[in-house]
């Protein structure tokens, strides 16, 4: 197999009928993957599958609404039936935010967003997990966003759902390590229906389309779901022919004697607590907080069988 070839590998992509997901499907189809095009919309899903197949690739559309509790299992079952194995899953489908200020958003708005992004991803990945594990080199790519990583006004329900996927990604990366599953997240930037609904100035839209076409996200996604993927538990921003890594850093912080750990003492050293010098990027909870104290806490938790 050449370094980034996918021949014989089955990759499921949700929301692959349009936009960024379609870009992933075309890229992976071109690289030889058997691509499962899931979308809630039948016509675009079949069109993408047809485009890949008529270019000599291998693709199949599976029309399913990820908010349907049975969709995840059905997508996995049909992919296995058709392609015999499941090697990677790209969880990409989402709906747009209502773009309202926080006080105007309802719990229903949040539930609608969580239904596709979080519950949809959860059910699909639970159904896929044993099959990905069976390959010994399963790959998962979850889709977060800059709003989920950094926050953006008027996107509270969207940011909440996208940030939830970071916790899921980090945890699945730890759990997947023993069975060869690598799990990462992508925060894409591309001009798609999601952008087109919000940018009203046609000239600005044209410039955005030229600058950030969906196909410029796909090279990064392909790398992250290939069996040679070098990383797990990480988040990458990709768009407009740019890629960078976003990570959670932790300052060195401050430890004081217990009898001196008062609000006043902390306030006095607040600049040191916040200082972005010599920060660290913990790989897991054992590398957080006061490292000496954490090592002792971890030793006690391990001895009690609470952590491995
Ligand atoms: N476009 C951006 O700049 C941008 C930025 C940050 C994050 N994202 C994320 O990237 C992903 C792709 O977004 P896009 O811009 O290509 O959007 P898009 O609207 O062009 O494509 C999303 C696709 O998901 C499908 N979909 C929606 N709900 C579904 C459901 N319940 N079941 C199955 N399919 C469903 C839609 O039919 C559509 O084809 C999303 O997760 C989005 O949140 C996009």
């Amino acid at each position: 197999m050449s370094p980034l070839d996918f021949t014989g590998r089955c990759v499921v992509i949700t929301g692959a009928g349009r936009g960024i997901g379609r870009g992933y499907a075309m890229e992976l189809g071109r690289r030889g993957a058997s691509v499962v095009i899931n979308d809630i919309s039948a016509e675009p899903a079949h069109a993408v599958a047809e485009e890949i197949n008529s270019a000599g690739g291998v693709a199949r559309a599976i029309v399913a609404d990820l908010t349907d509790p049975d969709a995840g299992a059905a997508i996995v079952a049909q992919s296995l039936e058709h392609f015999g194995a499941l090697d990677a899953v790209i969880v990409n489908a989402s709906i747009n935010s209502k773009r309202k200020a926080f006080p105007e958003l309802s719990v229903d708005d949040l539930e609608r967003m969580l239904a596709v992004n979080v519950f949809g991803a959860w059910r699909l990945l639970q159904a896929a997990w044993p099959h990905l594990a069976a390959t010994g080199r399963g790959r998962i790519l979850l889709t977060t966003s800059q709003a989920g990583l950094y926050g953006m006004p008027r996107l509270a329900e969207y940011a909440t759902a996208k940030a939830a996927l970071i916790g899921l990604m980090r945890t699945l990366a730890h759990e997947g390590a023993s069975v060869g599953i690598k799990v990462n997240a992508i925060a894409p930037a591309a001009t798609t229906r999601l952008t087109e609904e919000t940018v009203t100035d046609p000239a600005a839209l044209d410039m955005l389309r030229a600058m950030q076409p969906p196909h410029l996200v796909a090279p990064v996604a392909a790398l992250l779901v290939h069996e040679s993927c070098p990383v797990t538990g990480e988040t990458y921003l990709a768009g407009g022919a740019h890629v960078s890594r976003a990570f959670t850093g932790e300052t060195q912080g401050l430890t004081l004697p217990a009898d001196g750990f008062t609000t006043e003492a902390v306030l006095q050293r607040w600049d040191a607590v916040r200082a972005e010098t010599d920060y660290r990027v913990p790989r897991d909870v054992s590398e957080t907080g006061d490292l000496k104290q954490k090592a002792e806490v971890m030793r006690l938790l391990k001895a009690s069988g609470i952590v491995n």
Side-chain angles (χ1 to χ4, degrees):
M1 187 182 270
S2 82
L4 285 160
D5 185 39
F6 280 79
T7 303
R9 304 288 187 245
C10 171
V11 185
V12 167
I13 308 169
T14 70
R18 299 185 183 88
I20 295 165
R22 177 183 176 281
Y24 295 161
M26 300 307 293
E27 176 76 25
L28 295 177
R30 199 174 58 74
R31 290 180 179 278
S34 304
V35 194
V36 175
I37 316 287
N38 158 252
D39 209 286
I40 192 173
S41 305
E43 196 263 318
H46 286 294
V48 174
E50 175 54 31
E51 205 174 334
I52 293 172
N53 288 326
S54 53
V58 182
R60 184 176 177 80
I62 299 183
V63 178
D65 174 356
L66 285 175
T67 68
D68 172 350
D70 299 325
I75 292 168
V76 169
Q78 286 182 49
S79 303
L80 289 169
E81 193 184 322
H82 206 73
F83 294 120
L86 181 54
D87 298 283
V89 178
I90 304 182
V91 179
N92 165 77
S94 180
I95 49 173
N96 215 344
S97 161
K98 285 279 176 77
R99 294 190 178 259
K100 292 182 189 166
F102 177 57
E104 291 155 21
L105 282 167
S106 66
V107 169
D108 284 350
D109 294 329
L110 175 62
E111 283 180 348
R112 173 180 161 271
M113 192 56 76
L114 294 177
V116 52
N117 275 284
V118 179
F119 287 82
W122 183 284
R123 291 195 183 96
L124 173 62
L125 294 179
Q126 272 195 335
W129 191 264
H131 306 287
L132 294 172
T135 68
R137 46 173 166 64
R139 301 285 177 259
I140 293 171
L141 185 62
L142 288 165
T143 305
T144 186
S145 80
Q146 294 176 37
L149 294 171
Y150 306 115
M152 274 174 80
R154 303 176 71 84
L155 292 181
E157 91 284 35
Y158 181 75
T160 301
K162 292 301 195 182
L165 295 173
I166 295 292
L168 180 63
M169 179 275 288
R170 295 286 298 194
T171 299
L172 296 188
H174 289 305
E175 293 192 20
S178 62
V179 287
I181 300 179
K182 290 187 176 178
V183 190
N184 293 288
I186 192 163
T191 308
T192 64
R193 216 173 43 148
L194 289 190
T195 339
E196 285 162 6
E197 279 175 18
T198 50
V199 181
T200 46
D201 173 8
L205 199 53
D206 280 349
M207 283 166 73
L208 285 167
R209 280 198 190 107
M211 221 180 337
Q212 299 189 323
H215 74 265
L216 287 181
V217 180
V220 180
L223 190 153
L224 293 172
V225 297
H226 191 261
E227 73 172 278
S228 66
C229 171
V231 293
T232 190
E234 298 195 351
T235 301
Y236 290 87
L237 278 78
H242 170 84
V243 55
S244 56
R245 178 182 165 216
F247 51 81
T248 304
E250 197 173 301
T251 66
Q252 290 296 319
L254 169 73
T255 307
L256 296 172
D259 60 0
F261 196 76
T262 63
T263 307
E264 289 76 11
V266 170
L267 181 60
Q268 204 175 22
R269 303 284 299 278
W270 198 238
D271 285 348
V273 172
R274 298 190 65 249
E276 291 174 14
T277 46
D278 297 330
Y279 65 83
R280 49 183 188 245
V281 182
R283 278 167 303 177
D284 59 43
V285 294
S286 72
E287 297 180 356
T288 64
D290 180 291
L291 292 180
K292 246 165 64 189
Q293 194 179 99
K294 197 55 177 261
E296 187 58 7
V297 169
M298 294 305 289
R299 191 185 66 74
L300 292 167
L301 292 178
K302 275 181 192 162
S304 323
I306 295 170
V307 295
N308 294 327

